[in-house]
């Protein structure tokens, strides 16, 4: 809480511009985009930052379901 020189609370400025998107929302949307494209999709399964496994159809569908659940959880409706 801020107080101005007269002892009254200072008016807070309303944030302007586009609201910041949750990082998990952005990642989930990017994953959905990648999983929706044609061609092989690789995944980093050992955490070294390099893809080391190619997803088969079942794994791809599972990852798509996870990404869709993340969009529902982290993205604002209509956003």
């Amino acid at each position: 809480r801020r107080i101005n020189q007269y002892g009254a609370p200072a008016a807070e400025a309303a944030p302007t511009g586009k609201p910041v998107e949750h990082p998990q929302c952005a990642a989930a949307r990017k994953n959905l985009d990648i999983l929706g494209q044609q061609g092989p999709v690789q995944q980093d399964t050992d955490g070294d930052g390099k893809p080391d496994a190619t997803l088969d159809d079942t794994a791809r569908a599972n990852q798509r379901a996870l990404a869709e659940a993340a969009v529902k959880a982290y993205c604002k409706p209509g956003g």
Side-chain angles (χ1 to χ4, degrees):
R1 183 173 144 176
R2 294 185 343 205
I3 298 177
N4 64 18
Q5 66 187 15
Y6 303 108
E12 294 292 329
T16 58
K18 184 179 177 183
V20 176
E21 182 177 54
H22 194 286
Q24 292 292 339
C25 174
R29 289 184 191 275
K30 183 177 178 184
N31 288 342
L32 274 177
D33 182 49
I34 291 169
L35 291 163
Q37 295 177 9
Q38 295 294 322
V41 175
Q42 293 188 315
Q43 183 178 28
D44 174 18
T45 59
D46 60 8
D48 68 354
K50 298 175 186 173
D52 50 44
T54 301
L55 300 179
D56 61 14
D57 291 340
T58 302
R60 191 177 191 136
N62 290 341
Q63 289 298 316
R64 185 170 178 82
L66 288 172
E68 288 170 350
V71 166
K72 288 180 184 176
Y74 295 110
C75 299
K76 294 179 182 176

Coordinates of all heavy atoms in Angstrom, one line a residue:
R1 N 0.9 -1.2 0.0 CA 0.0 0.0 0.0 C 0.9 1.2 0.0 O 1.8 1.3 0.8 CB -0.9 0.0 1.2 CG -1.8 1.1 1.3 CD -2.8 0.8 2.5 NE -3.1 2.1 3.1 CZ -3.9 2.3 4.0 NH1 -4.5 1.3 4.6 NH2 -4.1 3.5 4.5
R2 N 0.6 2.2 -0.9 CA 1.3 3.4 -0.9 C 0.5 4.5 -0.4 O -0.7 4.6 -0.5 CB 1.7 3.7 -2.4 CG 2.7 2.7 -2.9 CD 3.1 3.1 -4.3 NE 2.3 4.1 -5.0 CZ 2.2 4.3 -6.2 NH1 2.8 3.5 -7.1 NH2 1.4 5.2 -6.8
I3 N 1.1 5.5 0.3 CA 0.4 6.7 0.8 C 1.1 7.9 0.2 O 2.3 8.0 0.2 CB 0.5 6.7 2.3 CG1 -0.2 5.5 2.9 CG2 -0.1 8.0 2.9 CD1 -0.1 5.3 4.4
N4 N 0.3 8.9 -0.2 CA 0.8 10.1 -0.8 C 1.2 11.0 0.3 O 1.0 10.8 1.5 CB -0.1 10.7 -1.8 CG -1.4 11.2 -1.2 OD1 -1.5 11.3 0.0 ND2 -2.4 11.3 -2.1
Q5 N 1.7 12.2 -0.1 CA 2.2 13.2 0.9 C 1.1 13.7 1.8 O 1.4 14.3 2.8 CB 2.9 14.3 0.2 CG 2.0 15.2 -0.7 CD 2.8 16.2 -1.5 OE1 4.0 16.1 -1.6 NE2 2.1 17.2 -2.1
Y6 N -0.2 13.5 1.5 CA -1.3 14.1 2.3 C -1.8 13.0 3.2 O -2.8 13.3 3.9 CB -2.4 14.6 1.3 CG -1.9 15.6 0.4 CD1 -1.7 15.3 -1.0 CD2 -1.5 16.9 0.8 CE1 -1.3 16.3 -1.8 CE2 -1.0 17.9 -0.1 CZ -0.9 17.5 -1.4 OH -0.4 18.5 -2.3
G7 N -1.2 11.8 3.3 CA -1.7 10.8 4.2 C -2.8 9.9 3.7 O -3.2 9.0 4.3
A8 N -3.3 10.2 2.5 CA -4.3 9.4 1.9 C -3.6 8.3 1.0 O -2.6 8.5 0.5 CB -5.2 10.2 1.0
P9 N -4.3 7.2 0.8 CA -3.7 6.1 0.0 C -3.6 6.7 -1.5 O -4.5 7.4 -2.0 CB -4.7 5.0 0.0 CG -5.5 5.2 1.3 CD -5.5 6.7 1.5
A10 N -2.5 6.4 -2.1 CA -2.3 6.8 -3.5 C -3.0 5.9 -4.4 O -3.2 4.7 -4.2 CB -0.8 6.8 -3.8
A11 N -3.6 6.5 -5.5 CA -4.3 5.7 -6.5 C -3.3 4.9 -7.2 O -2.3 5.3 -7.7 CB -5.0 6.7 -7.4
E12 N -3.7 3.6 -7.4 CA -2.8 2.7 -8.1 C -3.2 2.8 -9.6 O -4.4 2.8 -9.9 CB -3.0 1.2 -7.6 CG -2.6 1.0 -6.2 CD -1.1 1.1 -6.0 OE1 -0.3 0.8 -7.0 OE2 -0.6 1.5 -5.0
A13 N -2.2 2.8 -10.4 CA -2.4 2.9 -11.8 C -2.9 1.5 -12.3 O -2.4 0.5 -11.9 CB -1.2 3.3 -12.6
A14 N -3.9 1.5 -13.1 CA -4.4 0.2 -13.7 C -3.4 -0.3 -14.7 O -2.9 0.5 -15.5 CB -5.8 0.5 -14.4
P15 N -3.2 -1.6 -14.8 CA -2.2 -2.1 -15.8 C -2.8 -1.8 -17.2 O -4.0 -2.0 -17.4 CB -2.1 -3.6 -15.5 CG -3.2 -3.9 -14.5 CD -3.7 -2.6 -13.9
T16 N -1.9 -1.5 -18.1 CA -2.4 -1.2 -19.5 C -1.7 -2.3 -20.4 O -0.8 -2.9 -20.0 CB -1.9 0.2 -19.9 OG1 -0.5 0.3 -19.8 CG2 -2.6 1.2 -19.1
G17 N -2.3 -2.4 -21.5 CA -1.8 -3.3 -22.5 C -2.4 -4.7 -22.4 O -3.3 -4.9 -21.6
K18 N -1.8 -5.6 -23.1 CA -2.3 -7.0 -23.2 C -1.9 -7.7 -21.9 O -0.7 -7.6 -21.4 CB -1.6 -7.7 -24.4 CG -2.1 -9.1 -24.6 CD -1.5 -9.7 -25.8 CE -1.9 -11.1 -26.0 NZ -1.2 -11.7 -27.1
P19 N -2.8 -8.5 -21.3 CA -2.4 -9.2 -20.1 C -1.4 -10.3 -20.4 O -1.4 -10.8 -21.5 CB -3.7 -9.9 -19.7 CG -4.7 -9.6 -20.7 CD -4.2 -8.6 -21.7
V20 N -0.5 -10.6 -19.5 CA 0.5 -11.5 -19.7 C 0.0 -12.9 -19.7 O -0.8 -13.3 -18.8 CB 1.6 -11.4 -18.6 CG1 2.7 -12.4 -18.7 CG2 2.2 -10.0 -18.6
E21 N 0.4 -13.7 -20.7 CA -0.1 -15.1 -20.8 C 0.7 -16.0 -19.9 O 1.9 -15.8 -19.7 CB 0.0 -15.5 -22.2 CG -0.5 -16.9 -22.5 CD -0.4 -17.3 -24.0 OE1 0.7 -17.2 -24.5 OE2 -1.4 -17.7 -24.5
H22 N 0.1 -16.9 -19.2 CA 0.8 -17.9 -18.4 C 1.7 -18.7 -19.2 O 1.4 -19.1 -20.3 CB -0.3 -18.8 -17.7 CG 0.2 -19.6 -16.6 ND1 1.1 -20.6 -16.7 CD2 0.0 -19.4 -15.2 CE1 1.4 -21.1 -15.6 NE2 0.8 -20.4 -14.6
P23 N 3.0 -18.9 -18.7 CA 4.0 -19.6 -19.5 C 3.5 -21.0 -19.9 O 3.8 -21.5 -20.9 CB 5.2 -19.6 -18.6 CG 5.0 -18.6 -17.6 CD 3.5 -18.3 -17.5
Q24 N 2.8 -21.7 -19.0 CA 2.3 -23.0 -19.2 C 1.3 -23.0 -20.4 O 1.2 -24.0 -21.1 CB 1.7 -23.7 -18.0 CG 2.8 -23.9 -16.9 CD 3.7 -25.0 -17.3 OE1 3.5 -25.9 -18.2 NE2 4.9 -25.0 -16.7
C25 N 0.5 -21.9 -20.4 CA -0.5 -21.8 -21.5 C 0.2 -21.7 -22.9 O -0.1 -22.4 -23.8 CB -1.3 -20.6 -21.3 SG -2.5 -20.2 -22.7
A26 N 1.3 -20.9 -22.9 CA 2.0 -20.7 -24.2 C 2.6 -22.0 -24.6 O 2.6 -22.4 -25.8 CB 3.0 -19.6 -24.0
A27 N 3.2 -22.8 -23.6 CA 3.9 -24.0 -24.0 C 2.9 -25.1 -24.4 O 3.1 -25.8 -25.4 CB 4.6 -24.6 -22.7
A28 N 1.7 -25.1 -23.8 CA 0.7 -26.1 -24.2 C 0.1 -25.8 -25.6 O 0.0 -26.7 -26.4 CB -0.5 -26.1 -23.2
R29 N -0.1 -24.5 -25.9 CA -0.5 -24.2 -27.2 C 0.5 -24.5 -28.3 O 0.2 -25.0 -29.4 CB -0.9 -22.7 -27.3 CG -2.1 -22.3 -26.6 CD -2.4 -20.8 -26.8 NE -3.4 -20.3 -25.9 CZ -4.8 -20.4 -26.1 NH1 -5.2 -21.1 -27.2 NH2 -5.6 -20.0 -25.3
K30 N 1.8 -24.3 -28.0 CA 2.9 -24.6 -28.9 C 2.9 -26.1 -29.1 O 3.1 -26.6 -30.2 CB 4.2 -24.1 -28.4 CG 5.4 -24.4 -29.3 CD 6.6 -23.8 -28.7 CE 7.8 -24.1 -29.7 NZ 9.1 -23.6 -29.1
N31 N 2.8 -26.9 -28.0 CA 2.8 -28.4 -28.1 C 1.6 -28.9 -29.0 O 1.8 -29.8 -29.8 CB 2.7 -29.0 -26.8 CG 4.1 -28.9 -26.0 OD1 5.1 -28.6 -26.6 ND2 4.0 -29.1 -24.7
L32 N 0.4 -28.3 -28.8 CA -0.7 -28.7 -29.6 C -0.5 -28.4 -31.1 O -0.8 -29.2 -31.9 CB -2.0 -27.9 -29.2 CG -2.8 -28.5 -28.0 CD1 -3.9 -27.6 -27.7 CD2 -3.2 -29.9 -28.4
D33 N 0.2 -27.3 -31.4 CA 0.5 -26.9 -32.8 C 1.4 -27.9 -33.3 O 1.2 -28.4 -34.5 CB 1.1 -25.5 -32.8 CG 1.4 -25.1 -34.2 OD1 0.5 -25.2 -35.1 OD2 2.5 -24.6 -34.5
I34 N 2.5 -28.3 -32.6 CA 3.5 -29.3 -33.1 C 2.8 -30.6 -33.3 O 3.0 -31.3 -34.3 CB 4.7 -29.3 -32.1 CG1 5.5 -28.0 -32.2 CG2 5.5 -30.5 -32.4 CD1 6.5 -27.9 -31.1
L35 N 2.0 -31.1 -32.3 CA 1.4 -32.4 -32.4 C 0.3 -32.5 -33.5 O 0.0 -33.6 -34.0 CB 0.8 -32.7 -31.0 CG 1.8 -33.0 -29.9 CD1 1.1 -32.9 -28.6 CD2 2.5 -34.3 -30.1
G36 N -0.2 -31.3 -33.9 CA -1.2 -31.3 -35.0 C -0.6 -31.3 -36.4 O -1.4 -31.5 -37.3
Q37 N 0.7 -31.1 -36.5 CA 1.3 -31.1 -37.8 C 1.6 -32.6 -38.2 O 1.7 -33.5 -37.4 CB 2.6 -30.3 -37.7 CG 2.3 -28.8 -37.5 CD 3.6 -28.1 -37.3 OE1 4.7 -28.6 -37.6 NE2 3.5 -26.8 -36.9
Q38 N 1.8 -32.7 -39.5 CA 2.2 -34.0 -40.1 C 3.7 -34.2 -39.8 O 4.5 -33.3 -39.6 CB 2.0 -34.0 -41.6 CG 0.5 -33.9 -42.0 CD -0.3 -35.1 -41.5 OE1 0.2 -36.2 -41.6 NE2 -1.5 -34.9 -41.1
G39 N 4.1 -35.5 -39.9 CA 5.5 -35.8 -39.7 C 5.8 -36.3 -38.3 O 5.0 -36.2 -37.4
P40 N 7.0 -36.8 -38.1 CA 7.4 -37.4 -36.9 C 7.6 -36.3 -35.8 O 8.0 -35.2 -36.1 CB 8.7 -38.1 -37.1 CG 9.3 -37.5 -38.4 CD 8.1 -37.0 -39.2
V41 N 7.3 -36.6 -34.6 CA 7.5 -35.7 -33.4 C 8.5 -36.4 -32.5 O 8.2 -37.6 -32.1 CB 6.2 -35.4 -32.7 CG1 6.5 -34.5 -31.5 CG2 5.3 -34.7 -33.7
Q42 N 9.5 -35.7 -32.1 CA 10.5 -36.3 -31.1 C 10.3 -35.7 -29.8 O 9.9 -34.5 -29.7 CB 11.9 -36.1 -31.7 CG 12.2 -37.0 -32.9 CD 13.6 -37.0 -33.3 OE1 14.3 -35.9 -33.3 NE2 14.2 -38.1 -33.6
Q43 N 10.7 -36.4 -28.7 CA 10.6 -35.9 -27.4 C 11.9 -36.2 -26.6 O 12.5 -37.2 -26.8 CB 9.4 -36.7 -26.7 CG 9.1 -36.2 -25.3 CD 7.9 -37.0 -24.7 OE1 7.7 -38.1 -25.1 NE2 7.2 -36.3 -23.8
D44 N 12.2 -35.3 -25.7 CA 13.4 -35.4 -24.8 C 12.9 -36.2 -23.6 O 12.2 -35.6 -22.7 CB 13.9 -34.0 -24.5 CG 15.0 -34.1 -23.4 OD1 15.6 -35.2 -23.3 OD2 15.3 -33.1 -22.8
T45 N 13.3 -37.5 -23.5 CA 12.8 -38.3 -22.4 C 13.8 -38.4 -21.2 O 13.4 -38.7 -20.1 CB 12.5 -39.7 -22.9 OG1 13.7 -40.3 -23.4 CG2 11.4 -39.8 -23.9
D46 N 15.0 -38.0 -21.5 CA 16.0 -38.1 -20.4 C 16.4 -36.7 -19.8 O 17.3 -36.6 -19.0 CB 17.3 -38.9 -20.9 CG 18.0 -38.2 -22.0 OD1 17.6 -37.1 -22.4 OD2 18.9 -38.9 -22.6
G47 N 15.8 -35.6 -20.3 CA 16.1 -34.3 -19.7 C 17.4 -33.6 -20.1 O 17.8 -32.7 -19.5
D48 N 18.0 -34.1 -21.1 CA 19.3 -33.5 -21.5 C 19.2 -32.4 -22.5 O 20.1 -31.8 -22.9 CB 20.3 -34.5 -22.0 CG 19.9 -35.1 -23.4 OD1 18.8 -34.8 -23.9 OD2 20.7 -35.9 -23.9
G49 N 17.9 -32.1 -22.9 CA 17.6 -31.0 -23.8 C 17.7 -31.4 -25.3 O 17.5 -30.5 -26.2
K50 N 17.9 -32.7 -25.6 CA 18.0 -33.1 -26.9 C 16.9 -34.2 -27.1 O 16.8 -35.1 -26.3 CB 19.4 -33.7 -27.2 CG 20.5 -32.7 -27.1 CD 21.8 -33.4 -27.3 CE 22.9 -32.4 -27.0 NZ 24.3 -33.0 -27.0
P51 N 16.1 -34.1 -28.2 CA 15.1 -35.2 -28.5 C 15.8 -36.5 -28.7 O 16.8 -36.6 -29.4 CB 14.4 -34.7 -29.7 CG 15.3 -33.7 -30.3 CD 16.2 -33.1 -29.3
D52 N 15.3 -37.5 -28.0 CA 15.8 -38.9 -28.1 C 14.8 -40.0 -28.4 O 15.2 -41.1 -28.5 CB 16.7 -39.2 -26.9 CG 15.9 -38.9 -25.6 OD1 14.7 -39.3 -25.5 OD2 16.5 -38.4 -24.7
A53 N 13.6 -39.7 -28.5 CA 12.5 -40.7 -28.8 C 11.5 -40.1 -29.7 O 11.1 -39.0 -29.6 CB 11.9 -41.1 -27.5
T54 N 11.1 -40.9 -30.7 CA 10.1 -40.5 -31.7 C 8.8 -41.0 -31.2 O 8.7 -42.2 -30.8 CB 10.4 -41.0 -33.1 OG1 11.7 -40.5 -33.5 CG2 9.3 -40.6 -34.1
L55 N 7.7 -40.2 -31.1 CA 6.4 -40.6 -30.6 C 5.7 -41.4 -31.7 O 5.6 -41.1 -32.8 CB 5.6 -39.4 -30.3 CG 6.1 -38.4 -29.2 CD1 5.1 -37.3 -29.1 CD2 6.3 -39.1 -27.9
D56 N 5.1 -42.6 -31.2 CA 4.3 -43.4 -32.1 C 2.9 -42.7 -32.0 O 2.7 -41.8 -31.3 CB 4.3 -44.8 -31.7 CG 3.8 -45.1 -30.3 OD1 3.2 -44.2 -29.7 OD2 4.0 -46.3 -29.9
D57 N 1.9 -43.3 -32.7 CA 0.6 -42.7 -32.8 C -0.1 -42.7 -31.4 O -0.7 -41.7 -31.1 CB -0.3 -43.5 -33.7 CG 0.1 -43.3 -35.2 OD1 0.8 -42.3 -35.5 OD2 -0.3 -44.2 -36.0
T58 N 0.1 -43.7 -30.6 CA -0.5 -43.8 -29.3 C 0.1 -42.7 -28.4 O -0.6 -42.0 -27.7 CB -0.3 -45.2 -28.6 OG1 -0.9 -46.1 -29.5 CG2 -1.0 -45.2 -27.3
A59 N 1.5 -42.6 -28.4 CA 2.1 -41.6 -27.5 C 1.8 -40.2 -28.0 O 1.6 -39.3 -27.2 CB 3.7 -41.9 -27.6
R60 N 1.7 -40.0 -29.3 CA 1.3 -38.7 -29.8 C -0.1 -38.3 -29.3 O -0.3 -37.2 -28.9 CB 1.3 -38.8 -31.3 CG 1.2 -37.4 -32.0 CD 1.4 -37.6 -33.5 NE 1.6 -36.3 -34.1 CZ 2.4 -36.1 -35.1 NH1 3.2 -37.0 -35.5 NH2 2.5 -34.9 -35.6
A61 N -1.1 -39.3 -29.4 CA -2.4 -39.0 -28.9 C -2.4 -38.7 -27.4 O -3.1 -37.8 -26.9 CB -3.3 -40.2 -29.2
N62 N -1.6 -39.4 -26.6 CA -1.5 -39.2 -25.2 C -0.9 -37.8 -24.9 O -1.4 -37.0 -24.0 CB -0.6 -40.2 -24.5 CG -1.3 -41.6 -24.5 OD1 -2.5 -41.7 -24.6 ND2 -0.5 -42.6 -24.3
Q63 N 0.1 -37.4 -25.6 CA 0.7 -36.1 -25.5 C -0.3 -35.0 -25.9 O -0.3 -33.9 -25.3 CB 2.0 -35.9 -26.2 CG 3.1 -36.8 -25.7 CD 3.5 -36.3 -24.3 OE1 3.6 -35.1 -24.0 NE2 3.7 -37.3 -23.4
R64 N -1.0 -35.2 -26.9 CA -2.1 -34.2 -27.4 C -3.1 -34.1 -26.3 O -3.5 -32.9 -26.0 CB -2.7 -34.7 -28.7 CG -3.6 -33.7 -29.2 CD -4.1 -34.0 -30.7 NE -5.0 -33.1 -31.2 CZ -4.7 -31.9 -31.7 NH1 -3.5 -31.6 -31.8 NH2 -5.6 -31.1 -32.2
A65 N -3.5 -35.1 -25.7 CA -4.5 -35.1 -24.6 C -4.0 -34.3 -23.4 O -4.7 -33.5 -22.8 CB -5.0 -36.5 -24.1
L66 N -2.7 -34.5 -23.1 CA -2.1 -33.7 -22.0 C -2.0 -32.3 -22.3 O -2.2 -31.4 -21.5 CB -0.7 -34.3 -21.7 CG -0.6 -35.6 -21.0 CD1 0.9 -36.1 -21.0 CD2 -1.1 -35.6 -19.6
A67 N -1.6 -31.9 -23.5 CA -1.5 -30.5 -24.0 C -2.9 -29.9 -23.9 O -3.1 -28.7 -23.5 CB -0.9 -30.4 -25.4
E68 N -4.0 -30.6 -24.4 CA -5.3 -30.0 -24.3 C -5.8 -29.8 -22.9 O -6.4 -28.8 -22.6 CB -6.3 -31.0 -25.0 CG -6.1 -31.0 -26.5 CD -6.9 -32.1 -27.2 OE1 -7.4 -33.0 -26.5 OE2 -7.0 -32.0 -28.5
A69 N -5.4 -30.7 -22.0 CA -5.7 -30.5 -20.5 C -5.0 -29.3 -20.0 O -5.5 -28.5 -19.2 CB -5.4 -31.8 -19.7
A70 N -3.7 -29.1 -20.4 CA -3.0 -28.0 -19.9 C -3.6 -26.7 -20.4 O -3.6 -25.7 -19.7 CB -1.5 -28.1 -20.4
V71 N -4.0 -26.7 -21.7 CA -4.7 -25.4 -22.2 C -5.9 -25.1 -21.4 O -6.1 -23.9 -21.0 CB -5.1 -25.6 -23.7 CG1 -6.0 -24.6 -24.2 CG2 -3.8 -25.7 -24.6
K72 N -6.7 -26.1 -21.0 CA -7.9 -25.9 -20.2 C -7.5 -25.4 -18.8 O -8.2 -24.5 -18.3 CB -8.7 -27.1 -20.1 CG -9.4 -27.5 -21.3 CD -10.2 -28.8 -21.1 CE -10.9 -29.3 -22.4 NZ -11.6 -30.5 -22.3
A73 N -6.4 -25.9 -18.3 CA -6.0 -25.5 -16.9 C -5.3 -24.1 -16.9 O -5.5 -23.4 -15.9 CB -5.0 -26.6 -16.4
Y74 N -4.5 -23.8 -17.9 CA -3.7 -22.6 -17.7 C -4.1 -21.4 -18.6 O -3.6 -20.3 -18.4 CB -2.2 -22.9 -18.1 CG -1.6 -23.9 -17.1 CD1 -1.3 -25.2 -17.4 CD2 -1.3 -23.5 -15.8 CE1 -0.7 -26.0 -16.5 CE2 -0.8 -24.3 -14.8 CZ -0.5 -25.6 -15.2 OH 0.1 -26.4 -14.3
C75 N -4.9 -21.7 -19.7 CA -5.3 -20.6 -20.6 C -6.6 -20.0 -20.2 O -7.5 -20.8 -19.8 CB -5.3 -21.1 -22.0 SG -3.7 -21.7 -22.6
K76 N -6.8 -18.7 -20.3 CA -8.0 -18.1 -20.0 C -9.0 -18.4 -21.1 O -8.7 -18.4 -22.3 CB -7.8 -16.6 -19.9 CG -7.0 -16.2 -18.7 CD -6.8 -14.7 -18.7 CE -5.9 -14.3 -17.5 NZ -5.6 -12.9 -17.5
P77 N -10.3 -18.7 -20.7 CA -11.3 -18.9 -21.8 C -11.4 -17.8 -22.7 O -11.4 -16.6 -22.3 CB -12.6 -19.1 -21.0 CG -12.2 -19.4 -19.6 CD -10.8 -18.8 -19.4
G78 N -11.5 -18.1 -24.0 CA -11.7 -17.0 -25.0 C -10.4 -16.3 -25.4 O -10.4 -15.4 -26.1
G79 N -9.3 -16.8 -24.8 CA -8.0 -16.1 -25.0 C -7.1 -16.8 -26.0 O -7.2 -17.7 -26.6

